[in-house]
Amino acid sequence: MSNTKVPKILITGATGQVGSKTIDFLLSNQDLEIIAAVRSQEKAVAFNKRGIATVIFDFNDEGTHLSALKNIDRVFVVTGYTVDMLRQSKTFLDNAKKAGVRHVVHLGACGRDDTTVAHWAWHQLIERYIEWSGFSFTHLRPETFMQNILSYGGKKSIQNGVIHAYVEGARLSWVDVEDVAKVAAEALIHPEIHSAQTYRLGYDAVTFHELAVMMTAIVGKPFHYQPLSPEVFLQSMNNAGAEMAYMSCVYDHWKRYAAGTIPGADDTFNNFQEITGSQPTKWADFIEKHKAELDY
């Protein structure tokens, strides 16, 4: 158990979109100490300029774990998009237990408890290991990020008003990354309220065809959806040298979305206001907020 008076929170994935936004929301709370986990001193500079403490940490380097976890009370666990997430998470959680961490907030993936989508199931195995290890915990299961419509895999998702995706006419459940970060921050600030909870986070269900109609109306320029074969995704990942054990699972789930064989793909939830005290972002709000980025 930590002997610090002010709870110390370690944010892994601090430079990523969810981790960085979570830090932004935590900064308004003066009763916490936030530590951003970074892989190099160069990555630390931006945080240090904002007065945010950093530690050197690498999921793949066990030698960095215990020093990064010293006196930490709560952790936000965000692993990378590889099959190594299973090994990385287990090793990190074992070391967090040794270091006396009490509460773990885990960023997982979509899906009902009985999902058969492989990489979603991997996250659920990590959830079970967190519980088995005896931590106080909060599991986050965000649906598809709205930000994917701006860019995906390092590339723009829309070119001159043409939206590309790999799911044919499937209706997906969506969530704004900022809303995921708000829930993560609440769970880290108030573990006594959010302990032993699994929060599925998805608040608007639409197809890409419907998105194109909304964008046309709000941005004021024509948008249309042009579905791509999941084979295009698989080839692009191969060409990019991506870690294919994971990306093959993603390819499979694009195929299943397109075929309509993922139960609950368009599930939405009404938990956001109770958790955060505010309303979740819906697609019309998101498009309006990112109007300049969507314009062409």
Side-chain angles (χ1 to χ4, degrees), residues 11 37 40 54-55 105 107 109 148 153 189 191 198 202 217 224 241-242 246 254 259 290-292:
I11 306 294
S40 67
T54 58
V55 289
V105 178
L107 182 68
N148 289 355
I189 294 167
T198 297
H224 73 274
Y246 184 93
W254 289 142
H290 295 277
K291 199 172 177 178

Side-chain angles (χ1 to χ4, degrees), residues 80-249:
Y81 297 141
T82 74
V83 68
D84 287 341
M85 71 166 74
L86 292 165
R87 173 186 55 79
Q88 291 169 343
S89 297
K90 181 185 185 301
T91 304
F92 176 69
L93 291 163
D94 288 343
N95 283 318
K97 193 69 178 176
K98 292 174 187 175
V101 170
R102 303 168 80 175
H103 188 70
V104 174
V105 178
H106 174 253
L107 182 68
C110 318
R112 298 175 177 178
D113 288 343
D114 61 353
T115 186
T116 56
V117 175
H119 57 296
W120 298 356
W122 296 346
H123 281 290
Q124 292 185 13
L125 290 171
I126 295 168
E127 291 175 356
R128 298 294 84 77
Y129 193 73
I130 291 168
E131 295 171 22
W132 181 81
S133 298
F135 294 104
S136 167
F137 65 86
T138 310
H139 303 319
L140 308 184
R141 292 187 193 170
E143 299 295 323
T144 306
F145 289 157
M146 290 177 169
Q147 277 73 6
N148 289 355
I149 203 70
L150 303 176
S151 65
Y152 183 80
K155 296 180 180 179
K156 290 188 70 173
S157 302
I158 304 175
Q159 299 287 343
N160 297 318
V162 179
I163 306 169
H164 291 300
Y166 307 101
V167 299
E168 293 292 343
R171 175 170 278 104
L172 277 60
S173 179
W174 300 84
V175 63
D176 188 337
V177 164
E178 290 196 13
D179 288 346
V180 177
K182 284 179 185 177
V183 174
E186 287 297 323
L188 289 163
I189 294 167
H190 299 293
E192 72 284 358
I193 296 174
H194 302 290
S195 180
Q197 297 298 317
T198 297
Y199 292 133
R200 294 190 64 191
L201 311 174
Y203 304 105
D204 208 356
V206 302
T207 68
F208 282 95
H209 290 295
E210 291 166 340
L211 273 181
V213 172
M214 282 192 278
M215 288 178 188
T216 299
I218 295 170
V219 179
K221 290 186 178 178
F223 288 81
H224 73 274
Y225 170 46
Q226 185 179 94
L228 298 175
S229 167
E231 307 298 328
V232 174
F233 170 82
L234 188 65
Q235 188 60 53
S236 67
M237 291 299 101
N238 267 309
N239 293 345
E243 200 277 326
M244 294 311 293
Y246 184 93
M247 291 305 170
S248 293
C249 297

Side-chain angles (χ1 to χ4, degrees), residues 26-46:
L26 289 171
L27 286 175
S28 62
N29 191 304
Q30 300 301 311
D31 298 323
L32 303 168
E33 184 177 349
I34 304 160
I35 298 94
V38 295
R39 294 180 66 179
S40 67
Q41 292 296 347
E42 290 76 18
K43 296 282 188 182
V45 173

